[in-house]
Amino acid sequence: AQKITQTQPGMFVQEKEAVTLDCTYDTSDPSYGLFWYKQPSSGEMIFLIYQGSYDQQNATEGRYSLNFQKARKSANLVISASQLGDSAMYFCAMTLAGGFKTIFGAGTRLFVKA
Amino acid sequence: SQTIHQWPATLVQPVGSPLSLECTVEGTSNPNLYWYRQAAGRGLQLLFYSVGIGQISSEVPQNLSASRPQDRQFILSSKKLLLSDSGFYLCAWSPQLGYNEKLFFGSGTQLSVL
């Protein structure tokens, strides 16, 4: 069965430092997409970064990068130079071929300290 | 540009009362539409998705139903709310089906059933 696991319920990081949020996934389907979304206290889900299962290089979007290790089935999010505004819930998600269903992990709450 | 509107933002309803949450998308045609529910401190669970007018697929058997009376309108309903229906409801859309398609979310509705 398809599953997303985020094992860190909460994380603290000092402002301006980098932080890694862990995500592992489980699927036997060769075609899939991995996503990270940010959910601030306002509740809206904001797309951060995408990695396709056939992509050879790790995805990057500004201060966000995705450390994709296919053999280990992990898709960790790295946030560089953390800012106070990065404090939020972060969700890892996976969409399979067919594309109508996106599965979300339980999320990691990130706290950025000044 | 495309925008998604979801209302109301908060709703407090007694057990046994009906429910209607509405979501509309602007600036695109024939979007794929989704209703997700997020229990407190947890990830998102897909409730319904729709690929066209009148086409509704349910992911989880429950006390809720969905309808798509117009191309860019998606409605979540219940005839009689249960305590377990409390949660944060998010509407989302995507331009196409595919494992590389990100979701665009509305601002959510916090539903409290008392």
Side-chain angles (χ1 to χ4, degrees):
Chain A
Q2 295 82 17
K3 188 178 180 181
I4 294 284
T5 302
Q6 294 180 254
T7 57
Q8 306 155 313
M11 288 279 288
F12 285 87
V13 64
Q14 195 68 38
E15 191 179 12
K16 300 181 183 178
E17 292 185 350
V19 62
T20 298
L21 306 184
D22 294 341
C23 172
T24 59
Y25 61 93
D26 188 17
T27 180
S28 57
D29 195 316
S31 304
Y32 52 89
L34 297 162
F35 301 80
W36 279 91
Y37 291 87
K38 173 184 178 181
Q39 187 179 42
S41 56
S42 61
E44 185 174 352
M45 298 282 283
I46 302 167
F47 165 77
L48 295 178
I49 195 165
Y50 162 80
Q51 180 86 40
S53 59
Y54 299 108
D55 293 342
Q56 296 295 314
Q57 298 206 351
N58 289 340
T60 59
E61 290 282 351
R63 294 187 299 111
Y64 305 109
S65 61
L66 198 153
N67 184 1
F68 181 45
Q69 297 187 42
K70 193 170 183 177
R72 299 178 62 181
K73 294 190 174 180
S74 72
N76 298 339
L77 176 71
V78 181
I79 305 175
S80 63
S82 296
Q83 302 172 356
L84 295 177
D86 294 334
S87 294
M89 280 288 286
Y90 289 82
F91 291 95
C92 180
M94 175 172 64
T95 302
L96 301 176
F100 61 86
K101 184 170 183 176
T102 299
I103 303 165
F104 287 80
T108 295
R109 183 168 293 281
L110 179 66
F111 300 91
V112 180
K113 300 182 290 183
Chain B
S1 64
Q2 302 90 2
T3 56
I4 179 169
H5 302 280
Q6 185 181 344
W7 67 93
T10 59
L11 192 60
V12 180
Q13 292 285 94
V15 170
S17 64
L19 172 74
S20 180
L21 303 181
E22 189 164 341
C23 172
T24 59
V25 180
E26 296 179 355
T28 188
S29 59
N30 198 32
N32 299 299
L33 296 171
Y34 310 84
W35 278 111
Y36 281 87
R37 177 169 61 196
Q38 182 179 18
R42 301 184 67 178
L44 278 65
Q45 179 187 40
L46 179 63
L47 302 177
F48 301 94
Y49 68 93
S50 172
V51 299
I53 296 174
Q55 300 178 60
I56 308 295
S57 296
S58 173
E59 283 294 301
V60 181
Q62 61 214 322
N63 186 42
L64 302 170
S65 62
S67 61
R68 185 171 177 173
Q70 300 181 42
D71 181 44
R72 292 169 290 175
Q73 184 184 29
F74 206 23
I75 299 171
L76 183 69
S77 304
S78 173
K79 292 183 179 178
K80 289 186 179 182
L81 283 168
L82 306 173
L83 288 174
S84 57
D85 292 324
S86 294
F88 190 60
Y89 289 81
L90 284 158
C91 180
W93 75 276
S94 66
Q96 299 181 48
L97 288 179
Y99 65 80
N100 60 341
E101 293 290 336
K102 65 184 178 186
L103 297 171
F104 298 88
F105 287 87
S107 53
T109 296
Q110 182 65 53
L111 173 66
S112 299
V113 183
L114 305 177

